[in-house]
Coordinates of all heavy atoms in Angstrom, one line a residue:
T527 N 258.7 182.8 104.5 CA 259.4 182.9 105.8 C 258.5 183.2 106.9 O 258.3 184.3 107.4 CB 260.5 183.9 105.8 OG1 260.0 185.1 105.2 CG2 261.7 183.5 104.9
D528 N 257.9 182.1 107.5 CA 257.0 182.2 108.6 C 257.7 182.1 109.9 O 257.5 181.1 110.7 CB 255.8 181.3 108.5 CG 254.5 182.0 108.4 OD1 254.5 183.2 108.8 OD2 253.5 181.5 108.0
N529 N 258.7 183.0 110.1 CA 259.5 183.0 111.4 C 258.6 183.5 112.5 O 257.9 184.5 112.3 CB 260.7 183.8 111.2 CG 261.7 183.2 110.1 OD1 261.3 183.0 109.0 ND2 262.9 182.9 110.5
V530 N 258.8 183.0 113.7 CA 258.2 183.5 114.9 C 258.7 184.9 115.2 O 259.9 185.1 115.2 CB 258.4 182.6 116.1 CG1 257.8 183.2 117.4 CG2 257.8 181.2 115.8
V531 N 257.8 185.9 115.4 CA 258.2 187.2 115.6 C 257.3 187.9 116.7 O 256.1 187.7 116.6 CB 258.3 188.1 114.3 CG1 256.9 188.1 113.7 CG2 258.8 189.4 114.5
P532 N 257.8 188.6 117.6 CA 256.9 189.3 118.6 C 256.2 190.5 117.9 O 256.9 191.4 117.3 CB 257.9 189.8 119.7 CG 259.2 189.2 119.4 CD 259.2 188.8 117.9
A533 N 254.9 190.6 118.0 CA 254.1 191.7 117.5 C 253.7 192.5 118.7 O 253.2 191.9 119.7 CB 252.9 191.2 116.7
I534 N 253.9 193.8 118.7 CA 253.7 194.7 119.8 C 252.9 195.9 119.5 O 253.1 196.5 118.4 CB 255.1 195.2 120.4 CG1 256.1 194.0 120.6 CG2 254.9 195.9 121.7 CD1 257.5 194.4 120.5
S535 N 251.9 196.2 120.3 CA 251.1 197.4 120.1 C 252.1 198.6 120.2 O 252.9 198.7 121.2 CB 250.1 197.5 121.2 OG 249.5 198.8 121.2
A536 N 252.1 199.5 119.2 CA 253.0 200.6 119.2 C 252.7 201.5 120.4 O 253.7 202.2 120.9 CB 252.8 201.4 117.9
K537 N 251.5 201.5 120.9 CA 251.2 202.3 122.1 C 251.9 201.8 123.4 O 252.2 202.6 124.3 CB 249.7 202.3 122.4 CG 248.8 202.8 121.3 CD 247.4 202.7 121.6 CE 246.5 203.2 120.5 NZ 245.0 203.0 120.7
A538 N 252.3 200.5 123.4 CA 252.9 199.9 124.6 C 254.4 199.7 124.4 O 255.1 199.4 125.4 CB 252.2 198.6 124.9
S539 N 255.0 199.8 123.2 CA 256.3 199.4 123.0 C 257.3 200.3 123.7 O 257.2 201.5 123.7 CB 256.6 199.4 121.5 OG 258.0 199.0 121.3
T540 N 258.3 199.6 124.4 CA 259.3 200.3 125.1 C 260.6 199.6 124.8 O 260.6 198.4 124.4 CB 259.1 200.3 126.6 OG1 259.3 199.0 127.2 CG2 257.8 200.9 127.0
P541 N 261.8 200.2 125.0 CA 263.1 199.5 124.8 C 263.2 198.3 125.7 O 263.8 197.3 125.3 CB 264.1 200.6 125.1 CG 263.4 201.9 124.9 CD 262.0 201.7 125.3
E542 N 262.7 198.3 126.9 CA 262.8 197.2 127.8 C 261.9 196.0 127.4 O 262.3 194.9 127.5 CB 262.4 197.6 129.2 CG 263.4 198.7 129.9 CD 263.1 200.1 129.4 OE1 262.1 200.4 128.8 OE2 264.0 200.9 129.6
I543 N 260.7 196.3 126.9 CA 259.9 195.2 126.4 C 260.5 194.6 125.2 O 260.6 193.4 125.0 CB 258.5 195.8 126.0 CG1 257.7 196.1 127.3 CG2 257.7 194.8 125.2 CD1 256.3 196.7 127.1
L544 N 261.0 195.4 124.3 CA 261.7 194.9 123.1 C 262.9 194.0 123.5 O 263.1 193.0 122.9 CB 262.2 196.0 122.2 CG 261.1 196.6 121.3 CD1 261.6 197.9 120.6 CD2 260.7 195.6 120.2
A545 N 263.7 194.5 124.4 CA 264.9 193.7 124.8 C 264.5 192.3 125.4 O 265.2 191.3 125.1 CB 265.7 194.5 125.9
A546 N 263.4 192.3 126.2 CA 263.0 191.0 126.8 C 262.5 190.1 125.7 O 262.9 188.9 125.6 CB 261.9 191.3 127.8
L547 N 261.7 190.6 124.8 CA 261.1 189.7 123.7 C 262.2 189.3 122.7 O 262.2 188.2 122.2 CB 260.0 190.5 123.0 CG 258.8 190.8 123.9 CD1 257.8 191.6 123.1 CD2 258.1 189.6 124.4
N548 N 263.1 190.2 122.4 CA 264.2 189.9 121.5 C 265.2 188.8 122.1 O 265.8 188.0 121.3 CB 265.0 191.1 121.2 CG 264.3 192.0 120.2 OD1 263.3 191.7 119.6 ND2 264.8 193.3 120.1
K549 N 265.2 188.7 123.4 CA 266.1 187.7 124.0 C 265.4 186.3 123.8 O 266.1 185.3 123.5 CB 266.2 187.9 125.5 CG 267.3 187.0 126.1 CD 267.8 187.6 127.4 CE 269.1 186.8 127.9 NZ 269.6 187.3 129.2
V550 N 264.1 186.2 123.8 CA 263.4 185.0 123.4 C 263.7 184.6 122.0 O 264.1 183.5 121.6 CB 261.9 185.1 123.7 CG1 261.2 183.8 123.2 CG2 261.6 185.3 125.1
S551 N 263.6 185.6 121.1 CA 263.8 185.4 119.7 C 265.2 184.9 119.4 O 265.5 184.0 118.6 CB 263.6 186.7 118.8 OG 262.2 187.0 118.8
G552 N 266.2 185.4 120.1 CA 267.6 185.0 120.0 C 267.9 183.6 120.4 O 268.8 183.0 119.9

Side-chain angles (χ1 to χ4, degrees):
T527 44
D528 241 343
N529 296 58
V530 174
V531 61
I534 309 157
S535 170
K537 298 176 181 178
S539 182
T540 67
E542 294 80 14
I543 287 177
L544 278 170
L547 299 176
N548 286 345
K549 194 161 186 180
V550 175
S551 290

